[in-house]
Each structure stands twice: as C-alpha cells, then as structure tokens.
Amino acid sequence: MIIALDGPSGAGKSTIAKLLASKLNYEYLDTGAMYRAVTKYILDNKIDIYDKNLLISSLKNIRLDFNKSHIYLNGVDVENTIRSETITKEVSEVSSIKEIREFLVEMQRNIAKNKSIILDGRDIGTVVFPNADYKFFIVADVKIRAKRRFDQYKSDQTLEQIEASILKRDQYDSNRKISPLKKAKDAIIIDTSNLTIDETIEKIYNYIRG
Ligand code: DC
C-alpha cells in the first residue's frame, strides 16, 4: 500500500506523514531529505552540477540509508545538518537536475517496493507512484506556513524573510521543467491552514479507513 503526500514547503507534510505512518504502522520515506542529502554531498565536494559527466560519476559515490527516521549520507547521520539555511537555499536548484531526479526516483521506488509506506515530496503522486493507492495534496496559506517554520526552527531570519524564501521555493519547485510540484488529477486536497495536526491526521485517516 502506497500513500503519496505531496505539496509545497511548510504545509505540514512531514509532521503529518510521520504521525500517520505510526498510527497506521506503515513505514515513512521523507523524499525531501534525500534531495537535501544529495545537495549536501554536492556542496561538501564542490561538484559542478552542470558538468553532466562529473555529476553522473559522482552520484555513484552517494549512499543513502535510513534508520529510525534519520537519513544517513555515506554512513553519517545528516538528519539535522541537511535542514541548514545554506542547503535550503540550494536544494531547489539541485532538485531541478534531471540526472539527480532519475537517481533518486529509482531509489525511492526500490525502497517502497512491496511495502506499506507513506512517501512525502513534490512528485510522488504524479511521477514516482502515479498508481499510488491514496494521493493527498497538502496545502496551507503561505503566511501560516511561514509562521510554522518560524516557530519550528530557531533561525536568524525574520518572519518576512522566511515567507519570501518559501514563496521563492514554491515558484522554483512549481515552474521547473522536470517533475514540477503539481497536484495529481486524482489527489485529494487537504488545506491545513485552519486545522490542527490531529485534525489533519484524522481527516486523512478517515479517507483511508473510512
Ligand atoms: O520537503 P523539503 O522542503 O525537505 O524538500 C526540499 C526540496 O527538495 C524542495 O525544495 C523540493 C525538493 N523535492 C523535490 O523536488 N521532490 C521531492 N519528491 C521532494 C523534495
């Protein structure tokens, strides 16, 4: 059983996915963390993403593992370091590269094969698993998303700066040529602007178990 949760940054996907997975006793895959880990590898090793041959050979050196909701890059737990402002700033560009998407989509399909699993991302219901059993598109007003990010992370950025950065990422993710952020035709829209986390989970749970 595959459940796809897609939507823009800060709509609450990963919080919802984690709690819902534990309620259903499913596994959970944070595909955004995979794009972030690859971005970290590229920045740490100063790889020119536009040198296609170098990029393709570099991807062969990347191993991603998961353990207790933490992502490991070549054996190192990077769950927290991949949330830095530097990586957040660069990840949209890295995730617009075709070779990187192909590399990670294949990995995501392999990880999820024959599992009961919830995947959150931008293209799960449209590209990775177009035949997913359930597809949800999680949205929320940008001001509310910015406030949640502001409260969640201790950042030097003001609320206005976070809102501007979310809007920029939404635009980049929605307008890229390959696998843009887009609602699958058959996805159910869940607007979390005025819902608590518990209410959101209840709503999704009722669709699945309803
Ligand atoms: O969900 P997140 O903010 O951690 O995702 C980080 C970035 O990765 C986001 O800007 C878009 C990209 N991403 C993607 O292109 N496809 C996915 N399936 C997941 C994330």
Side-chain angles (χ1 to χ4, degrees):
M1 165 87 89
I2 303 275
I3 300 177
L5 290 191
D6 289 306
S9 312
K13 294 185 303 293
S14 62
T15 309
I16 296 160
K18 248 182 245 169
L19 291 168
L20 191 65
S22 106
K23 192 172 163 108
L24 291 165
N25 206 14
Y26 280 19
E27 289 193 36
Y28 161 56
L29 185 64
D30 176 355
T31 64
M34 299 170 81
Y35 286 93
R36 287 171 179 274
V38 169
T39 304
K40 177 169 171 51
Y41 183 87
I42 285 168
L43 292 177
D44 288 353
N45 294 282
K46 300 188 173 52
I47 293 161
D48 173 5
I49 48 177
Y50 297 103
D51 180 342
K52 294 292 152 139
N53 290 333
L54 173 70
L55 179 65
I56 291 166
S57 64
S58 303
L59 291 176
K60 295 198 180 86
N61 300 325
I62 297 181
R63 206 188 73 232
L64 300 179
D65 301 293
F66 294 86
N67 190 13
K68 298 193 181 99
S69 290
H70 276 217
I71 185 165
Y72 289 72
L73 169 61
N74 293 334
V76 178
D77 182 348
V78 293
E79 182 63 31
N80 295 321
T81 46
I82 56 168
R83 317 278 162 195
S84 72
E85 271 167 37
T86 317
I87 290 181
T88 302
K89 207 164 132 256
E90 300 298 330
V91 66
S92 278
E93 187 171 3
V94 170
S95 59
S96 70
I97 308 277
K98 180 170 148 272
E99 288 76 8
I100 293 175
R101 299 207 71 84
E102 286 170 355
F103 171 69
L104 288 181
V105 166
E106 191 193 343
M107 204 185 279
Q108 289 155 14
R109 288 183 179 143
N110 284 331
I111 292 172
K113 207 172 5 185
N114 303 322
K115 289 202 177 101
S116 289
I117 187 165
I118 302 179
L119 297 96
D120 87 49
R122 305 290 189 286
D123 60 341
I124 309 303
T126 50
V127 174
V128 186
F129 285 108
N131 296 321
D133 299 273
Y134 291 95
K135 298 180 188 179
F136 298 95
F137 197 72
I138 315 290
V139 297
D141 181 85
V142 69
K143 290 210 179 310
I144 290 172
R145 290 191 278 140
K147 177 76 169 65
R148 286 179 187 159
R149 274 283 144 99
F150 184 75
D151 293 341
Q152 188 181 4
Y153 298 111
K154 286 184 195 75
S155 160
D156 295 336
Q157 289 183 303
T158 63
L159 189 57
E160 289 70 28
Q161 284 169 327
I162 294 179
E163 185 180 327
S165 133
I166 287 180
L167 275 175
K168 198 169 158 206
R169 210 139 62 93
D170 280 0
Q171 262 205 336
Y172 206 114
D173 294 345
S174 307
N175 292 314
R176 69 176 175 227
K177 284 205 188 76
I178 314 156
S179 310
L181 165 67
K182 176 170 101 197
K183 182 184 114 42
K185 281 201 186 73
D186 50 350
I188 298 161
I189 295 181
I190 307 280
D191 186 338
T192 69
S193 302
N194 298 309
L195 296 178
T196 63
I197 291 167
D198 284 348
E199 287 167 344
T200 309
I201 289 169
E202 201 53 34
K203 199 166 181 174
I204 298 178
Y205 188 82
N206 287 339
Y207 275 109
I208 298 167
R209 288 289 143 93

